[in-house]
Amino acid sequence: MAAIVVLAVIAIIVLTVLESILECLLQNRSVSRNQRILNKINKDFEEKRK
C-alpha cells in the first residue's frame, strides 16, 4: 500500500518536471519566432528609411 503511494508521488513529481521543461522549450521557441519577426520588421523599416 505504501509503495503505491510512493510511486504515485514520484509519478506526479516527474510529470510536473516534464511539464515545466516542455513549457520552457515552447516559450523559447515562441521567443525565437518573435525575435525573427522583430528582425524582419526592423529590416523593412531600415530599407524604407534609406
Side-chain angles (χ1 to χ4, degrees):
M1 186 71 190
I4 294 171
V5 172
V6 170
L7 283 175
V9 170
I10 291 171
I12 290 168
I13 292 170
V14 168
L15 286 174
T16 307
V17 169
L18 282 175
E19 191 182 14
S20 58
I21 290 171
L22 280 173
E23 213 169 287
C24 224
L25 289 172
L26 286 173
Q27 281 177 344
N28 284 346
R29 185 181 294 159
S30 65
V31 163
S32 66
R33 192 175 67 220
N34 289 346
Q35 193 63 48
R36 282 199 300 271
I37 293 169
L38 283 174
N39 287 345
K40 187 182 182 313
I41 291 169
N42 280 339
K43 276 184 198 160
D44 292 349
F45 183 72
E46 291 291 330
E47 286 170 11
K48 283 178 183 149
R49 270 192 15 193
K50 287 179 184 172

